[in-house]
Amino acid sequence: GEDVEQSLFLSVREGDSSVINCTYTDSSSTYLYWYKQEPGAGLQLLTYIFSNMDMKQDQRLTVLLNKKDKHLSLRIADTQTGDSAIYFCADGPSGSGGYNKLIFGAGTRLAVHP
Amino acid sequence: DAGVTQSPTHLIKTRGQQVTLRCSPKSGHDTVSWYQQALGQGPQFIFQYYEEEERQRGNFPDRFSGHQFPNYSSELNVNALLLGDSALYLCASSLAVRGAGPSAVFFGPGTRLTVL
C-alpha cells in the first residue's frame, strides 16, 4: 500500500545546511509536499513539487525529487534556531476525480543548536 | 486573505459523548479534508468533502462523520467518543482541479480534543 518514511531526528549546528530525507512507495504521486509543525501548532506548508520536476528552489529551501528511487529531500540553507520543528513529508497520490488524500510520514524532528 | 480557520481550539469530553468540530477553508478553496494527528505521529486522513459530498474516506469507523455546507465550510462529528480519539484534528483546504491532483493544500491550526 501507500507509505511514506522519514528519519525521526536530525541535529545541526546553527548556520549549517540541513537535509531531511523522505521515501515514498506510490508511483502515481502527483505532488509531494513539505510541511513544518511547531509545538502545539498546525501544519505550515513550506513547499511542494510536481512529480515531473526534479528540483524546486524557494529562498533557503531546495527540494530534490528522484522519481526513479521515490526519494524526496528538503535542504534548508543557513539553518537558524527558528527552524527547529518537526518536518513532515507528504505524498499526494493521483487518482480519479482529482480529489485526493495526503499520506504523511511520521515526521523528522530538526534540532538546531548554537 | 484569511487562511484556514478551525474552532474550537481545545475541547475536553468524556467517553461516550459526541463532539462537533468546525472548519472554514481558505478563501477561494472549495475542498475540505479532515485529518487526525495522534501524539508523536503524522496526520492520518479521515475524509474529504467537495460539493457537499464525501468524496474519499480513510480507515476510520462510521462514528466519524462530516458535512460540508454551501459556503464550503465543514464540520467533523465524532460519536461515542473513545479514549483513543484524543488527538489534534486538522482541517485542510484546497482547490479542486478536475483531472489532476490538488495543488497547494493548506492546514488550519487544529482542534486539540482530549477524551477523559
Side-chain angles (χ1 to χ4, degrees):
Chain A
E2 304 149 338
D3 192 22
V4 175
E5 292 193 358
Q6 303 177 236
S7 52
L8 294 182
F9 188 75
L10 177 65
S11 178
V12 299
R13 189 185 304 272
E14 191 174 14
D16 287 350
S17 291
S18 307
V19 179
I20 302 171
N21 295 299
C22 167
T23 57
Y24 59 97
T25 58
D26 195 323
S27 58
S28 67
S29 299
T30 305
Y31 290 94
L32 294 132
Y33 303 78
W34 285 104
Y35 287 90
K36 175 183 180 182
Q37 187 175 40
E38 298 184 69
L43 300 180
Q44 175 191 351
L45 176 63
L46 292 177
T47 186
Y48 60 100
I49 186 168
F50 189 51
S51 58
N52 69 354
M53 297 170 64
D54 298 324
M55 185 183 84
K56 181 178 180 181
Q57 189 155 1
D58 185 0
Q59 300 183 338
R60 292 190 299 123
L61 305 179
T62 302
V63 178
L64 295 178
L65 174 60
N66 182 329
K67 197 171 182 181
K68 174 176 172 290
D69 293 338
K70 298 178 187 168
H71 182 267
L72 183 74
S73 68
L74 174 70
R75 178 178 180 269
I76 305 173
D78 187 25
T79 312
Q80 302 298 308
T81 55
D83 295 323
S84 294
I86 300 175
Y87 290 79
F88 289 96
C89 166
D91 175 13
S94 65
S96 61
Y99 319 121
N100 295 290
K101 64 185 179 185
L102 296 185
I103 299 163
F104 284 84
T108 299
R109 182 178 296 275
L110 174 64
V112 183
H113 56 88
Chain B
D1 177 21
V4 182
T5 60
Q6 292 186 244
S7 64
T9 306
H10 295 87
L11 208 49
I12 300 175
K13 293 286 188 179
T14 57
R15 281 179 298 175
Q17 285 190 312
Q18 178 264 343
V19 69
T20 297
L21 311 182
R22 296 176 176 82
C23 171
S24 291
K26 184 177 168 63
S27 177
H29 284 186
D30 57 7
T31 301
V32 173
S33 302
W34 287 92
Y35 291 78
Q36 181 195 66
Q37 186 180 21
L39 200 60
Q41 297 182 21
Q44 298 291 316
F45 176 79
I46 303 175
F47 42 53
Q48 183 177 86
Y49 279 85
Y50 173 73
E51 292 185 339
E52 302 179 51
E53 289 187 359
E54 183 182 294
R55 302 292 287 196
Q56 193 172 10
R57 188 177 183 93
N59 189 26
F60 279 81
D62 292 344
R63 298 187 297 109
F64 289 77
S65 63
H67 188 77
Q68 185 179 36
F69 299 94
N71 67 352
Y72 308 118
S73 67
S74 177
E75 288 182 350
L76 164 66
N77 300 292
V78 187
N79 294 323
L81 284 167
L82 303 174
L83 296 180
D85 294 331
S86 294
L88 180 68
Y89 288 84
L90 295 162
C91 172
S93 84
S94 58
L95 178 64
V97 178
R98 291 192 184 276
S103 53
V105 181
F106 294 90
F107 282 78
T111 294
R112 173 74 60 187
L113 173 64
T114 302
V115 182
L116 302 177

